[in-house]
Amino acid sequence: MKIAKLVILFVGLLPFCEMDGQSRWQIQSDQSIKWSIGQNIPHYDHIEMGGGKVATVLRYGVNTDGAFSLERSVIWPMLRTVPNDTHASLTRRFSVDFLAMLQVNGLTLNNEQVKSIQLDGKLTVVSEFTIGHTRGTKAGGELVPAIELTRVFFPSVDKPMLCERYTVKNIGNEKVEVLLPHSRVVYQTRPDQGVDGSYTLVASTVVGKEEAFLLGSGESITFGASVQAYKRGQTELLPDVEAELRSRDSFIEQVWNSLEFCSPDTILNTAFAFAKIRASESIYRTSGGLMHGPGGEAYYAAIWANDQAEYVNPFFPFLGYKIGNEAAINSYRHFARFMNPEYNPIPSSIIAEGKDIWHGAGDRGDAAMIAYGAARFALELGDTDVANELWPLIEWCLMYCKRKLNAEGVVISDTDEMENRFPAGNANLNTSTLYYDALLSASYLSKELGKSVSLSNGYRKEAEILRKNIAHYFEANIEGYETYCYYKGNDVLRSWICVPLVAGIFDRKEGTINALLSPNLWTENGLLSQTGTSTYWDRPALYALRGIYAAGEREKATRYLQRYSVQRLLGDHVPYPIEAWPEGNQRHLSAESGLYCRIITEGIFGIRPMGLHAFMLTPQLPAEWNFMELKNVYAFGTKPFNIRVIRNGDRIKTVIEREGKVWKSYSSMVGKSIQVRLK
């Protein structure tokens, strides 16, 4: 697989991510990460991967004796169970050992010693085995490894199956006879548990016509296995595991070679590359169209106003991932189905392939989330037809929020995106701030679409008034910090005080940044939800880091982003941002990875859309870096372009490259804004 060349310069690994002075995982030259097994066992972890019709959570690790441990959780989002609610994706766990029936010289493999585990959008495990208990011994009786086994696990890109590829290699000096196993285990689910009746699950090996092989020293043989499921009227697939692997590799290559982030910090470069995979792979081909799903063995074939409309959708135009853009547009179309003249709330989530809704937390500020995300997405995509299609939804959501303003001019909502896990009063900072940002985007967008000048100016005027109201209503001294109370009566620090920074409200940036990075909120695992709790969620931490960059505090932001990235990419639970702890056991929900990527695009590079083909660029080049670059940026309706920032004495030179040539060049101080219009 062709991977972009990396600039290798590691930042120092931080104490909480070290084990005897050595990080468990190491970045490789091909941008993968690798764990070379030493004395740091036992250790267990879990990783989620997704394809168009299947998802999997692999719970893997290495036991005390050096043997590999694996349990597969496989999820089929379009095989719906009863009741057909948010969590009704067929999900089963499998511990089947396809190797148990493999024979070498008439014996089973024994005394496994895992040598390495590698992640790159797939899970690859390399182990060594002895044969039986008597063969392959030295004179002193010590067992000598005779077989090297490489396992590769990955979901199919477009079929409802988890694929596994096994390569058996003779690393001994003598020829060995290998017998490949034919194994097929079939399960039938109960008819009353499925929307479409009974589902068939098949776990089987994929072996060719030849089953017996004589391998000389250094020779190898490969076979496959799969776990699949299907409904009545469908038939069992005969997988071509090699073709499936090529498709998975092609997807990874496409994502990694689009929107490349290059800097002197290899850890940030690599964490960004991995986050692009997780943000992009969790898109499912449902009967309701392409739907990006959070994942986590819980949230599939469904969309949310926060995870999809607000978090990840505005990232896809930069990546140029066609399926991601299509899923984003489809999600807004689904939400638009629920516009109504009475201005009753749009549901928080549309579930079950678009056939039902979830609205269990009431109005979470969902209209503000949708307006914020849809307006930014429309501007960033740079497609006039799509922008015109989304405009009625944006306009409706803005009017909904306007009708929800209380006497003090901020937006009322039942709760916030935390859905009553923590108090939010009847008007919270997050909802009003998202509405503020959405008004600014709508002002730009309405002008681009040829709407009346009075409409564009009206949205900007409403934003100015709302900004004053936010200050009057929410500004407060909380625990000694001049920041915001999250809702009226709130007297402890909350993680979501970061949102004004992301929206460009810097009136209380010093106190807010100090509060966010104080021991009251920031821990080695990111931001606590509020002072005094042990609960942390990555999403506000990712917002906070983006906001701290936007506020110009790039040195602080970079130090904390480095620490966070080391923990998530190379620590004990890798390689993606997570949802929360203790809730969800640090699930690799997909949209969080989109938020990580937006730290780079909107935080470090400071990209803020101002038109269908125009944006504000505010590079925040850290003092320790001499350059940074975004290659193959697909946003704003043009051919891909590059943004290169180079230190030039006490100034920076920012270069926009198009079709291999310098298109524009700007000289400025770090942190100063530049207006770029591509058409």
Side-chain angles (χ1 to χ4, degrees), residues 268 495 498-499 501-502 513 516-517 522 525-527 538-565 568 595-596 598-600 602-604 620:
L268 299 192
S495 59
C498 62
V499 181
L501 301 177
V502 172
I513 292 171
L516 290 167
L517 301 182
W522 196 275
N525 284 305
L527 275 175
D538 266 15
R539 51 191 69 176
L542 298 165
Y543 259 87
L545 290 168
R546 177 166 31 129
I548 296 169
Y549 272 115
E553 293 290 343
R554 50 194 166 272
E555 309 311 325
K556 287 182 180 178
T558 301
R559 287 198 302 272
Y560 281 83
L561 178 60
Q562 287 170 340
R563 295 179 187 180
Y564 171 88
S565 300
R568 290 291 177 265
L595 289 178
Y596 183 93
R598 292 177 69 183
I599 295 172
I600 309 302
E602 298 174 34
I604 294 180
Q620 301 287 354

Side-chain angles (χ1 to χ4, degrees), residues 259 272 315 318 597-607 630:
L259 193 68
F272 181 78
F315 168 66
F318 290 94
C597 293
R598 292 177 69 183
I599 295 172
I600 309 302
T601 56
E602 298 174 34
I604 294 180
F605 283 86
I607 299 173
L630 276 179

Side-chain angles (χ1 to χ4, degrees), residues 408-410 429 432-433 436 439 460-475 484 505 507-508:
E408 289 149 295
V410 296
L429 179 65
S432 289
T433 308
Y436 165 79
L439 286 167
R460 184 163 290 277
K461 183 65 176 178
E462 288 179 42
E464 292 171 359
I465 294 170
L466 178 58
R467 179 167 176 165
K468 293 177 182 178
N469 294 340
I470 288 172
H472 176 75
Y473 191 88
F474 293 107
E475 285 183 358
Y484 302 95
I505 300 175
D507 303 338
R508 297 172 79 79

Side-chain angles (χ1 to χ4, degrees), residues 390-599:
L390 298 186
W391 178 253
L393 173 64
I394 295 166
E395 196 171 35
W396 187 94
C397 287
L398 293 175
M399 179 56 70
Y400 177 92
C401 291
K402 185 175 183 178
R403 292 166 62 102
K404 284 287 185 176
L405 294 175
N406 64 15
E408 289 149 295
V410 296
V411 185
I412 295 171
S413 59
D414 297 323
T415 180
D416 65 355
E417 70 103 51
M418 296 301 288
E419 299 169 0
N420 292 311
R421 293 174 178 89
F422 295 90
N426 59 15
N428 65 77
L429 179 65
N430 188 44
T431 299
S432 289
T433 308
L434 292 177
Y435 175 41
Y436 165 79
D437 193 283
L439 286 167
L440 294 180
S441 292
S443 175
Y444 295 129
L445 186 58
S446 61
K447 185 177 180 180
E448 290 284 290
L449 296 179
K451 307 296 181 183
S452 67
V453 174
S454 61
L455 182 63
S456 177
N457 291 343
Y459 282 139
R460 184 163 290 277
K461 183 65 176 178
E462 288 179 42
E464 292 171 359
I465 294 170
L466 178 58
R467 179 167 176 165
K468 293 177 182 178
N469 294 340
I470 288 172
H472 176 75
Y473 191 88
F474 293 107
E475 285 183 358
N477 184 296
I478 305 293
E479 298 187 50
Y481 296 95
E482 294 298 328
T483 181
Y484 302 95
C485 62
Y486 188 60
Y487 59 91
K488 185 167 286 189
N490 167 228
D491 59 359
V492 295
L493 291 174
R494 293 288 295 271
S495 59
W496 285 108
I497 58 174
C498 62
V499 181
L501 301 177
V502 172
I505 300 175
F506 304 133
D507 303 338
R508 297 172 79 79
K509 73 174 187 178
E510 182 178 357
T512 299
I513 292 171
N514 289 339
L516 290 167
L517 301 182
S518 72
N520 302 40
L521 286 180
W522 196 275
T523 74
E524 66 181 34
N525 284 305
L527 275 175
L528 296 175
S529 297
Q530 70 177 30
T531 298
T533 182
S534 61
T535 301
Y536 62 85
W537 291 64
D538 266 15
R539 51 191 69 176
L542 298 165
Y543 259 87
L545 290 168
R546 177 166 31 129
I548 296 169
Y549 272 115
E553 293 290 343
R554 50 194 166 272
E555 309 311 325
K556 287 182 180 178
T558 301
R559 287 198 302 272
Y560 281 83
L561 178 60
Q562 287 170 340
R563 295 179 187 180
Y564 171 88
S565 300
V566 169
Q567 181 81 328
R568 290 291 177 265
L569 181 68
L570 303 175
D572 281 344
H573 180 42
V574 301
Y576 304 124
I578 57 97
E579 178 202 28
W581 176 263
E583 179 176 328
N585 193 28
Q586 302 186 73
R587 296 180 287 200
H588 285 146
L589 296 197
S590 177
E592 277 75 358
S593 284
L595 289 178
Y596 183 93
C597 293
R598 292 177 69 183
I599 295 172

Side-chain angles (χ1 to χ4, degrees), residues 43 134 142 167 197 232 253 326 342 414 487 497 519 526:
H43 174 68
T134 59
E142 179 185 348
T167 301
R232 186 174 55 247
E253 182 176 11
E326 290 178 2
E342 298 79 22
D414 297 323
Y487 59 91
I497 58 174

